Amino acid sequence: DAAKSYERALLLKPDDANTTMNLGLVYLYLDRPDDAVKLTERATLLDPRSASAFSNLGVALHARGEYARAEAAYRHSLDLDPNNLTTLLNLGTNLLAQNKSAEAIDIMQRVVQADDAPAHRKRLGDALAKAGRYDDAVKEYQSVLQQDPQYYPALNEIGWTRIAEYRKNLELDDSKRHEAVAVWD
């Protein structure tokens, strides 16, 4: 229904950037990433000063697996609106998908400084774990649990991080395996 409404609105005003962008997002939700990219790209052409249009283009490109182009769209969005936390989070996630852990850590630290929420700290922990900084990652996950003891994704990540650390070491440190199992119990 939303797609039909936006399509009708575009018939009335075909050059409306927000309607074009929103229809693209609806298509993304409907698992039509090619259409989503086409429309969000059009929205950036209709309003080249819209940080939202570029951020949402990044989301559509990321969904289509075009990580480098998505990164460029997120960065352009941040040039227009440097403090948009959603775009920063999406950029950090995108950088992790590209195995750019150091950059992702920097971005996630900015997000945590702006809004110290459990989900944000968890993503910072994910970036640290991907960089092989396991103890730092576990510290982040533990700080998440101090904020919200019921935040099970942090518990899961402590376990996975300790298992990854256990596997990485040539001399298998059984204490890491035990810690992982204890967290999951």
Side-chain angles (χ1 to χ4, degrees):
D1 289 341
K4 288 178 185 176
S5 294
Y6 283 124
E7 289 165 352
R8 282 193 303 270
L10 282 177
L11 290 175
L12 298 173
K13 194 172 179 185
D15 291 336
D16 185 75
N18 282 332
T19 302
T20 302
M21 178 187 69
N22 288 333
L23 178 57
L25 293 175
V26 169
Y27 282 156
L28 186 61
Y29 180 77
L30 294 172
D31 199 27
R32 293 173 53 183
D34 293 338
D35 292 327
V37 168
K38 185 182 345 174
L39 286 164
T40 53
E41 279 179 330
R42 180 165 161 61
T44 65
L45 295 173
L46 291 170
D47 187 357
R49 301 291 307 150
S50 171
S52 294
F54 282 96
S55 183
N56 287 306
L57 172 59
V59 171
L61 289 165
H62 188 99
R64 203 162 73 175
E66 294 185 46
Y67 301 125
R69 284 186 64 206
E71 177 186 351
Y74 291 136
R75 290 189 186 280
H76 188 78
S77 176
L78 289 168
D79 287 342
L80 298 169
D81 181 6
N83 298 314
N84 187 305
L85 288 183
T86 301
T87 303
L88 282 169
L89 278 168
N90 288 339
L91 174 59
T93 301
N94 174 275
L95 292 168
L96 283 174
Q98 296 183 74
N99 293 315
K100 296 180 178 180
S101 301
E103 291 177 74
I105 291 167
D106 290 341
I107 295 295
M108 296 305 186
Q109 286 174 332
R110 281 179 56 193
V111 171
V112 167
Q113 286 173 352
D115 183 15
D116 191 4
H120 301 160
R121 278 206 177 269
K122 191 260 184 203
R123 285 198 185 174
L124 174 55
D126 295 346
L128 290 163
K130 190 143 190 175
R133 294 174 51 187
Y134 300 122
D135 287 336
D136 292 334
V138 169
K139 286 177 189 171
E140 287 303 323
Y141 298 138
Q142 288 170 338
S143 71
V144 168
L145 294 171
Q146 288 174 352
Q147 290 177 337
D148 181 358
Q150 301 302 313
Y151 197 84
Y152 74 89
L155 284 170
N156 287 340
E157 292 305 326
I158 290 172
W160 286 118
T161 300
R162 290 305 187 201
I163 290 296
E165 190 175 20
Y166 172 77
R167 286 180 164 165
K168 181 182 174 194
N169 293 323
L170 293 177
E171 297 176 20
L172 298 178
D173 181 350
D174 216 35
S175 69
K176 302 299 181 188
R177 183 182 62 80
H178 287 294
E179 186 177 343
V181 170
V183 166
W184 285 330
D185 277 344

